Amino acid sequence: MTTGVRRRMGVEERKRQLIGVALELFSHRSPEDVSIDEIAAAAGISRPLVYHYFPGKQSLYEAALRRAAEDLAERFVEPREGPLGARLLRVMGRFFDFVDEHGPGFSALMRGGPAVGSSTANAMIDEVRQAAYEQILAHLDVTTPPARLHLVVRSWVSLAESTALIWLDGRVIPRGELELQLVHDFAALAAVSAAYDAEMAEILLRIVADEPAEGPFGDLLGRLMGLGTRLPGQRVP
Amino acid sequence: MTTGVRRRMGVEERKRQLIGVALELFSHRSPEDVSIDEIAAAAGISRPLVYHYFPGKQSLYEAALRRAAEDLAERFVEPREGPLGARLLRVMGRFFDFVDEHGPGFSALMRGGPAVGSSTANAMIDEVRQAAYEQILAHLDVTTPPARLHLVVRSWVSLAESTALIWLDGRVIPRGELELQLVHDFAALAAVSAAYDAEMAEILLRIVADEPAEGPFGDLLGRLMGLGTRLPGQRVP
């Protein structure tokens, strides 16, 4: 029976199956702890046959990473309609879905390590970061970002990664709160930059001009104003 | 002459010299591009003698990283006196000194890669992050941080890393601005968290209560208020 099934699978189909099996195993345990034997067993084929499709453990890992990276980059795609805060919040929801689905694999990959920290893996991670960066600029309607906007977007992408990693480590704070917080963090980092740079101030004011008062940006602003009233008197102008 | 000098150096002294030579080379080029031959030549000894002190390239790299990590962790130490914003700003100055001195080495290490992304290297990087984290908590006078403060401090440490990496890539924005911006970013991330969590609000209000109006936190607040007056009318309460 198994042999029969095996014969009917083409090369690409078999590769896809092995990648899927590997990703499923990496969603429960770190790639370093998953052997080719386990992947072979879960796919119902022999170890040598796995090596027939993927010449080494590293090549299967990289193929799995490639699929996961494409999957994640696709989740960044969001229609350019409606308020920006709400768009970013939807993307954050899909980002945390991904992180949730790939927990240990995501964690091991982003923290680096002997089995996963190859230069190919790092290049793929950088491609995903670049995809996120480009999506955000496109939503902001900016084609040539000034240096400070480049910094805000790039460093926010890195903040989203580290926030997700911290969440995975115990899942103490509900993910919904963190999705919203990351949207707020984006606004906060942009505001800090705008406070000291006229060009960033123009960009920020353009962004928030179209935000509804009840959206994530408006809500944050209202709460910060509330917090401001509790500050020592000399601070309120 | 060379032999005479070599004889007078003890084992520890020679190791320290080789580490110093390696770090000096890594400050100009990525560790991946620096060979043991070059380190030997720069130290004025033979390649086999380098291997006598360090059994492999990796062990010399890790020893160099160990010294750099200790150096960086020492720069985090700041007297617990005066306003917090000014303390953090001084630490940021020393952090950027370090990043400046170790440019390509810092970059290669933090981006990961075949020569530097070992699990020992990752463990040392995590130790430095932990040292930064503990210093900040100590300055905030917090011994058992709530989950949201843990998140703010940890993710800000990661933000400081990525900001430094972006700075190294072209040094477009003056480092002084980035040192100040990171202090502001800390306040901004804490404020976002405080806007949605009463415990964080208490911590934030306690921090800013002692901040002078002309310090980095007070200055940012004044500027943000100024920016707020330019927002669409419905946003100002």
Side-chain angles (χ1 to χ4, degrees), chain B residues 62-127:
Chain B
E62 286 174 2
L65 174 58
R66 166 70 57 199
R67 185 192 287 179
E70 284 166 3
D71 173 15
L72 179 53
E74 277 167 23
R75 300 191 199 207
F76 296 153
V77 180
E78 170 71 26
R80 289 204 234 170
E81 286 160 19
L84 280 166
R87 292 186 219 172
L88 191 54
L89 186 57
R90 283 190 293 271
V91 174
M92 286 300 95
R94 294 196 297 270
F95 172 59
F96 271 82
D97 285 344
F98 177 90
V99 171
D100 200 358
E101 289 160 25
H102 295 276
F106 180 81
S107 219
L109 186 68
M110 303 311 290
R111 289 187 199 279
V116 287
S118 73
S119 50
T120 311
N122 284 324
M124 279 191 266
I125 295 172
D126 277 340
E127 276 175 38

Side-chain angles (χ1 to χ4, degrees), chain B residues 25-171:
Chain B
L25 289 167
F26 301 163
S27 72
H28 301 292
R29 275 179 303 142
S30 167
E32 291 171 48
D33 302 330
V34 175
S35 67
I36 288 290
D37 281 326
E38 285 176 88
I39 294 170
I45 63 173
S46 69
R47 182 190 163 89
L49 198 52
V50 175
Y51 282 113
H52 171 71
Y53 293 105
F54 294 99
K57 195 174 170 175
Q58 194 65 30
S59 90
L60 175 51
Y61 284 176
E62 286 174 2
L65 174 58
R66 166 70 57 199
R67 185 192 287 179
E70 284 166 3
D71 173 15
L72 179 53
E74 277 167 23
R75 300 191 199 207
F76 296 153
V77 180
E78 170 71 26
R80 289 204 234 170
E81 286 160 19
L84 280 166
R87 292 186 219 172
L88 191 54
L89 186 57
R90 283 190 293 271
V91 174
M92 286 300 95
R94 294 196 297 270
F95 172 59
F96 271 82
D97 285 344
F98 177 90
V99 171
D100 200 358
E101 289 160 25
H102 295 276
F106 180 81
S107 219
L109 186 68
M110 303 311 290
R111 289 187 199 279
V116 287
S118 73
S119 50
T120 311
N122 284 324
M124 279 191 266
I125 295 172
D126 277 340
E127 276 175 38
V128 178
R129 289 177 179 141
Q130 180 67 19
Y133 173 79
E134 287 172 6
Q135 280 292 331
I136 294 171
L137 288 187
H139 281 276
L140 296 178
D141 264 326
V142 173
T143 41
T144 37
R148 281 167 188 78
L149 182 61
H150 173 85
L151 178 71
V152 163
V153 178
R154 283 250 178 245
S155 55
W156 178 82
V157 168
S158 134
L159 189 73
E161 285 172 26
S162 56
T163 299
L165 283 172
I166 294 165
W167 175 68
L168 279 176
D169 187 15
R171 305 188 181 210

Side-chain angles (χ1 to χ4, degrees), chain A residues 148 177 196 211 219 235, chain B residues 148 177 196 211 219 235:
Chain A
R148 281 167 187 78
E177 284 185 38
Y196 289 84
E211 291 299 300
D219 186 59
R235 265 152 226 300
Chain B
R148 281 167 188 78
E177 284 184 38
Y196 289 84
E211 291 299 300
D219 186 60
R235 263 153 233 300

